[in-house]
């Protein structure tokens, strides 16, 4: 039986994962296929596993990095500490599922891809736009790098800002701005997070986890104000390489 790999999420038209992993399968002469499984609800996850008996592993993307955890029989300690999963291995014996284990490769992917942008500026403070599964990996990476941060959400809350709280004085204090929302992602390229872009300066650094398009409206607006910018392409490639190793770990 050939190996079946895949990715779950919604939407998936932007993802580079099938191209990346199908290339890896071909390069390593492994009979198999990597497919995109767009799920309308995470409740479809058990049926996906049942209906695809040769499904060995999955990547997990928005909006299911947290919701998928309820279906796992085991979670890697690092992923448990983060509180989100982006890789799942399905292990079967005689066709019966024995273990469904979750991992997180986003944290290291983000952490290593961020280094060139901050270039030693670890004394800066960061705003994390969004509070979904990807933002949890970003939080852990910033913690390990010693970077102080605050989350930003629509309603705000304990230890987080609402978008309406981002006055120029706040923007001046927080020089690293990280977009963890899907705003601006293909095909919705005309949207961006609701921050005061006039408060962005050449001292700011803007990172967008999105890699399609290569330059989101968020990055373009920040760049026009002189900020240093970076998209999520390097993060994608780093986490994908780490995912591939998990897929093939015997």
């Amino acid at each position: 039986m050939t190996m079946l790999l895949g990715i779950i999420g919604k939407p998936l038209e932007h993802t580079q994962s099938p191209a990346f992993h199908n290339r890896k399968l071909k390069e390593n002469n492994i009979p198999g296929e990597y497919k995109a499984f767009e799920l309308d609800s995470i409740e479809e996850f058990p049926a996906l596993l049942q209906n695809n008996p040769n499904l060995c592993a999955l990547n997990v993307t928005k909006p299911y990095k947290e919701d998928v955890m309820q279906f796992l029989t085991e979670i890697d300690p690092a992923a448990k500490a983060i509180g989100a999963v982006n890789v799942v291995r399905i292990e079967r014996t005689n066709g019966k599922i024995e273990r469904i284990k979750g991992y997180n490769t986003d944290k290291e992917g983000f952490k290593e891809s961020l280094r060139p942008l901050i270039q030693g500026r670890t004394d800066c403070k960061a705003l994390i736009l969004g509070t979904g599964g990807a933002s949890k990996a970003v939080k852990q990476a910033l913690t390990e790098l010693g970077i102080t941060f605050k989350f930003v959400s629509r309603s705000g809350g304990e230890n987080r800002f609402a978008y309406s709280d981002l006055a120029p004085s706040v923007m001046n204090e927080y020089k690293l701005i990280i977009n963890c929302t899907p705003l601006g992602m293909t095909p919705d390229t005309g949207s961006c997070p609701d921050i005061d872009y006039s408060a962005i300066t050449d001292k700011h650094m803007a990172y967008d986890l999105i890699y399609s398009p290569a330059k989101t409206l968020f990055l373009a607006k920040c760049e026009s104000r002189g900020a240093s910018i970076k998209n999520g392409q390097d993060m994608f490639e780093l986490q994908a390489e780490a995912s591939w190793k998990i897929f093939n770990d015997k």
Side-chain angles (χ1 to χ4, degrees):
M1 186 178 292
T2 59
M3 176 188 289
L4 177 61
L5 307 169
I7 182 170
I8 60 169
K10 185 181 175 74
L12 289 178
E13 58 197 87
H14 69 284
T15 182
Q16 294 180 9
S17 292
F20 178 92
H21 288 288
N22 280 314
R23 184 175 70 250
K24 297 287 280 190
L25 287 166
K26 185 176 181 180
E27 290 172 352
N28 289 275
N29 296 313
I30 299 173
E33 182 182 9
Y34 186 105
K35 298 173 67 174
F37 298 101
E38 190 166 293
L39 304 183
D40 290 325
S41 164
I42 195 59
E43 302 304 324
E44 298 174 13
F45 182 76
L48 174 69
L49 270 54
Q50 192 68 34
N51 297 335
N52 295 275
N54 59 334
L55 184 60
C56 305
L58 289 163
N59 285 118
V60 184
T61 190
K62 297 172 183 174
Y64 301 134
K65 293 184 181 186
E66 296 166 285
D67 293 343
V68 75
M69 296 172 75
Q70 65 188 293
F71 298 104
L72 308 180
T73 61
E74 188 177 340
I75 301 174
D76 179 75
K80 187 175 290 187
I82 292 166
V85 159
N86 75 308
V87 180
V88 172
R89 265 183 61 127
I90 304 108
E91 299 179 10
R92 308 174 195 252
T93 302
N94 298 323
K96 180 183 178 182
I97 294 176
E98 296 289 342
R99 185 167 75 155
I100 311 171
K101 185 171 181 178
Y103 303 82
N104 191 297
T105 63
D106 279 338
K107 186 261 291 182
E108 282 302 319
F110 172 75
K111 184 178 174 181
E112 293 309 310
S113 67
L114 179 65
R115 292 185 192 277
L117 181 66
I118 59 176
Q119 295 181 349
R121 291 177 59 183
T122 51
D123 59 333
C124 64
K125 293 184 177 181
L127 295 176
I128 304 175
L129 310 182
T131 57
S135 72
K136 293 188 172 185
V138 168
K139 169 190 173 181
Q140 186 67 21
L142 294 179
T143 299
E144 292 177 9
L145 289 168
I147 297 175
T148 301
F149 60 86
K150 279 278 188 76
F151 283 103
V152 183
S153 63
R154 284 189 293 270
S155 57
E158 186 178 352
N159 198 36
R160 71 179 58 174
F161 292 119
Y163 282 94
S164 57
D165 295 328
L166 301 183
S169 59
V170 175
M171 298 295 287
N172 184 57
E173 182 180 357
Y174 291 81
K175 294 295 199 299
L176 174 59
I177 305 172
I178 305 159
N179 179 35
C180 298
T181 78
L183 293 171
M185 184 172 68
T186 301
D188 186 25
T189 56
S191 63
C192 62
D194 185 20
I195 64 173
D196 182 4
Y197 292 93
S198 69
I200 300 293
T201 69
D202 60 2
K203 300 293 191 297
H204 280 85
M205 299 161 287
Y207 188 115
D208 201 326
L209 269 61
I210 294 169
Y211 56 80
S212 176
K215 187 184 290 184
T216 58
L217 186 57
F218 164 72
L219 290 182
K221 283 175 170 279
C222 290
E223 185 180 47
S224 72
R225 299 290 302 173
S228 303
I229 65 170
K230 186 176 181 67
N231 68 18
Q233 184 65 40
D234 286 348
M235 176 182 172
F236 165 76
E237 292 176 4
L238 288 163
Q239 69 79 23
E241 286 286 356
S243 296
W244 175 256
K245 290 178 182 177
I246 293 171
F247 292 168
N248 292 278
D249 182 12
K250 303 303 181 184

